[in-house]
Amino acid sequence: MSDLTNPLLFEMVRSFSMLAQELNLSRAVAKLGSTRQTVRRHIATLEELKGEQLFRVVDRQYTLTEAGIRALPQAEEIIALGHAWLRGQSSHVNGLQYLRHQEGNGWYFYQQQHALRSMWDTDSALLRETVRSWIMCGGRIEAPEMQHIRPYLIIYRFTPVGWICVEFGDESFFVRWFGKQKALSSVGQTLGKMPGGNDFARMLNVAFQETDITHNPRLDHVRTMVPRSDGGQPMPVNYRRLMLSGAFPDGSSALLSLVEPSADLDIFGFGPEDFREPDEDFALRFNPDNFKYGS
């Protein structure tokens, strides 16, 4: 197939994604603002380029093939990344993910991924101890090697409706910021949507997907604004977030997150003076006597 088709790639991927969601040609055409002939041509071209069938059609009813099911998540990511990139919400710094969004009312969110080795250049012994404990226990959240770290963690499970929080450690930043009652009320809820739109939300979800799929640790620096209570005034917050893959006792996948407030951050476009020191009430306090694997 000639490279001349490549300028149409984004539109072809949009047609595939919409038809995969609707599984009905008429509805997909209406939502795309396109024509039946165009959408059919896009699908046929994609199937020819990829060398595999993406849909089965029986009595005008579309169903995804196995190849189509495998292709859909990345197709949706291509669309979200394209939109976020055009809006300036998504880019790379030093080859790693960088996300940003600012609302007209002053709310903002900046997230920059960092190489894991950068932990050893900070004063955060808790981050290093968490990684070492995770290695020693093989990610098993009930293992003895994890128990001295677990109170600082938020634990997630993936469900058909997305990632849900199943546990907030008593010493976690979430509990320190919102309080124990809010944490208990939030167990079982999906991750709330932040401003920025669906494409930005999908980019934010990359960190969860990447950690879950690769089983590799991920470290992000974040600067944002968070209210202390529902409907409250957002307040500036800056923190490191370590994400680790794990396993529940039955072997199903878990995702572990350590959020550590800090002013020792590196986010593109900001200097040290832009990060406020965490208030004593919200700082994570880890007794050095509890270190098992280092400091």
Side-chain angles (χ1 to χ4, degrees):
M1 180 66 62
S2 168
D3 285 344
L4 291 176
T5 60
N6 289 347
L8 296 174
L9 175 60
F10 195 77
E11 289 304 313
M12 291 191 295
V13 173
R14 283 186 68 234
S15 292
F16 165 63
S17 176
M18 186 60 70
L19 186 54
Q21 293 173 37
E22 297 295 331
L23 295 176
N24 179 283
L25 184 59
S26 296
R27 289 199 300 267
V29 165
K31 288 193 173 184
L32 289 166
S34 185
T35 66
R36 300 172 71 89
Q37 294 80 4
T38 298
V39 173
R40 286 198 187 102
R41 184 173 68 252
H42 286 171
I43 300 304
T45 303
L46 274 180
E47 290 178 333
E48 184 177 353
L49 286 168
K50 292 179 66 63
E52 51 191 8
Q53 187 178 357
L54 301 173
F55 293 96
R56 295 188 187 90
V57 187
V58 178
D59 294 331
R60 299 183 181 180
Q61 179 64 50
Y62 284 76
T63 58
L64 283 166
T65 63
E66 295 249 345
I69 293 172
R70 290 196 308 271
L72 182 58
Q74 193 168 26
E76 292 178 335
E77 186 175 324
I78 289 170
I79 295 168
L81 178 58
H83 288 155
W85 180 75
L86 285 172
R87 297 186 189 111
Q89 295 176 321
S90 176
S91 60
H92 285 92
V93 174
N94 300 323
L96 297 174
Q97 187 189 50
Y98 172 68
L99 301 175
R100 66 179 182 180
H101 179 72
Q102 187 153 356
E103 293 278 297
N105 61 7
W107 182 90
Y108 55 79
F109 185 94
Y110 295 85
Q111 175 181 299
Q112 182 172 329
Q113 184 181 6
H114 284 266
L116 197 64
R117 63 176 173 79
S118 67
M119 288 194 311
W120 274 262
D121 298 326
T122 73
D123 60 357
S124 178
L126 178 56
L127 278 175
R128 296 190 287 274
E129 180 75 358
T130 301
V131 170
R132 290 170 175 144
S133 300
W134 172 76
I135 292 171
M136 295 298 294
C137 75
R140 294 174 293 114
I141 64 173
E142 298 292 344
E145 296 87 348
M146 183 61 73
Q147 297 316 301
H148 67 304
I149 292 297
R150 190 163 171 178
Y152 299 89
L153 303 179
I154 301 173
I155 300 178
Y156 301 90
R157 179 190 290 275
F158 187 73
T159 72
V161 296
W163 292 98
I164 63 171
C165 305
V166 297
E167 181 181 311
F168 295 94
D170 286 344
E171 298 297 325
S172 68
F173 175 65
F174 189 97
V175 170
R176 286 193 170 278
W177 185 264
F178 291 107
K180 185 67 174 178
Q181 293 304 310
K182 171 69 172 178
L184 290 172
S185 300
S186 299
V187 170
Q189 293 185 5
T190 58
L191 295 175
K193 281 192 175 183
M194 292 193 301
N198 291 334
D199 296 320
F200 188 65
R202 185 173 291 278
M203 291 297 96
L204 291 172
N205 199 47
V206 166
F208 287 80
Q209 293 175 322
E210 177 186 292
T211 304
D212 182 50
I213 293 171
T214 67
H215 293 185
N216 292 328
R218 172 169 170 143
L219 178 65
D220 291 285
H221 290 187
V222 176
R223 181 175 190 255
T224 187
M225 300 179 73
V226 182
R228 291 290 309 279
S229 60
D230 294 338
Q233 187 70 22
M235 300 171 58
V237 179
N238 29 260
Y239 56 84
R240 307 181 187 103
R241 184 188 65 189
L242 175 68
M243 302 184 76
L244 304 163
S245 65
F248 291 103
D250 63 359
S252 58
S253 295
L255 195 145
L256 320 177
S257 177
L258 172 69
V259 174
E260 183 182 37
S262 174
D264 183 19
L265 301 185
D266 181 10
I267 299 179
F268 179 75
F270 297 99
E273 69 280 1
D274 294 313
F275 303 114
R276 59 177 292 176
E277 291 287 346
D279 294 341
E280 183 63 26
D281 290 343
F282 308 131
L284 302 191
R285 295 186 288 272
F286 187 78
N287 189 335
D289 294 338
N290 292 334
F291 283 115
K292 294 184 178 181
Y293 307 113
S295 61

